[in-house]
Amino acid sequence: MTRPRTIDDVLADARARLRRLTPESAHARWREGALLVDIRPAAQRADEGEVPGALVIERNVLEWRLDPASDARIPEATGHDVRVIVLCSEGYTSSLAAAALHELGLEHATDVAGGFRAWRAAGLPTTGLPTTGGGPA
């Protein structure tokens, strides 16, 4: 009998499919035209701050908004070749989200290693000040 998979197994599988980006590389690709998508919930963005100009698409609707075949897609979801960089708080949820986008054929989707916290620590553009220590993301 095989053991049930753990979230660590699922995360490792997801990350094995991605070419994760450092915050600096993500920023450069964003400036070159990639979509930077912040999937954190509103309360978390209020507590931690935001990246000015990033698209905010909360995790619970991400696939519908970025699937080029979805009636609920955003205008930027023009095809399967769109480069999407997913951002969460610490880079865990974003890995799972980017892997889910791969399942939809968005093979250029990836995420930011370390998430928003690493982005802010790298001195990249943010607004707001962190108000709490936060929690898992």
Side-chain angles (χ1 to χ4, degrees):
M1 182 173 177
T2 59
R3 72 170 175 81
R5 288 171 46 88
T6 67
I7 188 59
D8 291 333
D9 297 330
V10 173
L11 183 61
D13 287 350
R15 287 181 172 169
R17 299 166 54 193
L18 304 175
R19 290 187 182 147
R20 301 184 79 215
L21 301 175
T22 65
E24 296 84 0
S25 294
H27 184 254
R29 290 198 183 171
W30 181 37
R31 292 181 55 131
E32 294 167 355
L35 300 179
L36 181 64
V37 179
D38 190 339
I39 62 169
R40 296 174 298 150
Q44 200 167 36
R45 292 190 315 273
D47 281 349
E48 296 177 345
E50 297 188 49
V51 175
L55 290 172
V56 174
I57 303 174
E58 291 191 14
R59 177 64 189 99
N60 62 323
V61 295
L62 182 70
E63 290 88 346
W64 286 269
R65 299 296 185 259
L66 292 177
D67 180 356
S70 171
D71 291 339
R73 72 184 173 277
I74 60 171
E76 294 87 350
T78 57
H80 289 94
D81 60 342
V82 172
R83 294 181 307 146
V84 177
I85 303 167
V86 183
L87 182 73
C88 69
S89 184
E90 295 180 19
Y92 295 95
T93 303
S94 59
S95 293
L96 299 175
L101 294 176
H102 276 236
E103 293 291 324
L104 295 174
L106 296 164
E107 294 187 16
H108 299 292
T110 190
D111 75 324
V112 178
F116 178 82
R117 292 181 185 187
W119 180 281
R120 180 185 286 282
L124 296 169
T126 61
T127 59
L129 299 173
T131 58
T132 67

